[in-house]
Each structure stands twice: as C-alpha cells, then as structure tokens.
Amino acid sequence: PRSTLFPYTTLFRSRRNVLMASQACVIVTLAVLLLVHLLPAGAAVALVLIAVLPLAACEVMQGAVVPAVVTESATPLTLGRYTSAYQVTFSIADIVCPAVVTVALHVGAAALWLPLSAVAFLDLAAVGLLARRMTALTRRVGQAPPQSASLAKRPLEADGI
C-alpha cells in the first residue's frame, strides 16, 4: 500500500534484505542506548525516546516479513504449530524486554548492551545464512506465496480447526 512511505519502501524488496535492515535498526538502537548512561538525566530521557524510532522501524520491517516466512515454511500439518510458536516467542519478548531494558537503563550496564549487540550481529549473520536454505526468505515482500503455501488451498483440519 502506498498510504505510508515506510511500508512502501520495503515492498518488493528481498525478505532477507528487509530482515537484515531490521537487525541493523536494532544494532543502532542498542548503540544509542549504550550512550545513555554518559548523559545527564534530561538528555538521557530524550535519547531513549529517540532510540524508540529505529526500534519501531525494525518492528514495521519485521512485521512485513516474519509472518509470511513462518506460514510459508510450515507444512499443511504444522502450520498451526509454527504460527503459535511464532506468536508465543513474540509474546514472551514483549513481556521480558521492557523489564530488561528498564533495569539496564537504570544500571547503565554496558555489560548488557554489548552482549545484546553481539546477539543482534549474530542474528544479522544468521539471516544471511538462512536465506541460502529457506526459499521463503528469498522471495520479495508482497510477492504471492507459492501455490503449495497458499492458505486458501489448505484444509481447515490440517490446523486442528
């Protein structure tokens, strides 16, 4: 859709590249948060609010890719399990991450930000490696799934409904 510029910029780009760009946004966010403890309170709050922007960009980019990759990677019999596992992992992260970030911001723990940055870099590399094996990552954002991955062709019984 052309209603907003940001989703339109990811449309028809390779899913692999979009995921790698989203991880780059996470790395930028972590780098910004690493600097927070060096600033006075007012500037630190402003910097945390600014750090939300690349993280929000990451979420928008991943939202255009991850659900499609999950559903296209599942077989008809495992689609329900794949999607529920994907949703649970994001739910757990939505609960745990704010608490971890709050503690890290309070303590100013570079010891936490640096390992998180390392994990983000590993994730960046893993997306590149996975793209060699997962055809769902090689397709473009907005590209129709192959006929075998089409939800319209799957019986409802395959998902336990």
Side-chain angles (χ1 to χ4, degrees):
R2 294 178 188 227
S3 59
T4 57
L5 178 63
F6 192 74
Y8 184 67
T9 60
T10 62
L11 196 60
F12 303 118
R13 303 221 187 280
S14 130
R15 291 174 179 170
R16 172 191 168 271
N17 291 346
V18 170
L19 281 181
M20 291 179 86
S22 76
Q23 279 311 111
C25 288
V26 169
I27 293 165
V28 167
T29 299
L30 293 172
V32 168
L33 292 173
L34 184 61
L35 300 174
V36 167
H37 75 282
L38 300 174
L39 300 172
V45 169
L47 194 59
V48 168
L49 293 174
I50 290 169
V52 169
L53 296 175
L55 196 58
C58 167
E59 292 290 327
V60 170
M61 285 189 272
Q62 288 182 1
V65 174
V66 175
V69 171
V70 168
T71 56
E72 289 177 24
S73 298
T75 65
L77 293 174
T78 60
L79 179 64
R81 286 185 219 119
Y82 272 52
T83 39
S84 64
Y86 152 71
Q87 290 169 345
V88 166
T89 57
F90 274 86
S91 297
I92 291 169
D94 287 343
I95 293 166
V96 172
C97 285
V100 170
V101 169
T102 301
V103 169
L105 286 172
H106 177 70
V107 176
L112 178 64
W113 296 122
L114 294 175
L116 286 175
S117 298
V119 169
F121 276 110
L122 284 174
D123 191 32
L124 187 69
V127 168
L129 293 173
L130 283 172
R132 295 179 187 167
R133 308 277 301 195
M134 294 180 70
T135 56
L137 279 173
T138 60
R139 283 191 267 292
R140 301 197 173 277
V141 174
Q143 182 179 357
Q147 197 67 350
S148 64
S150 172
L151 292 176
K153 302 290 182 193
R154 293 186 176 151
L156 291 176
E157 300 84 40
D159 293 322
I161 298 175

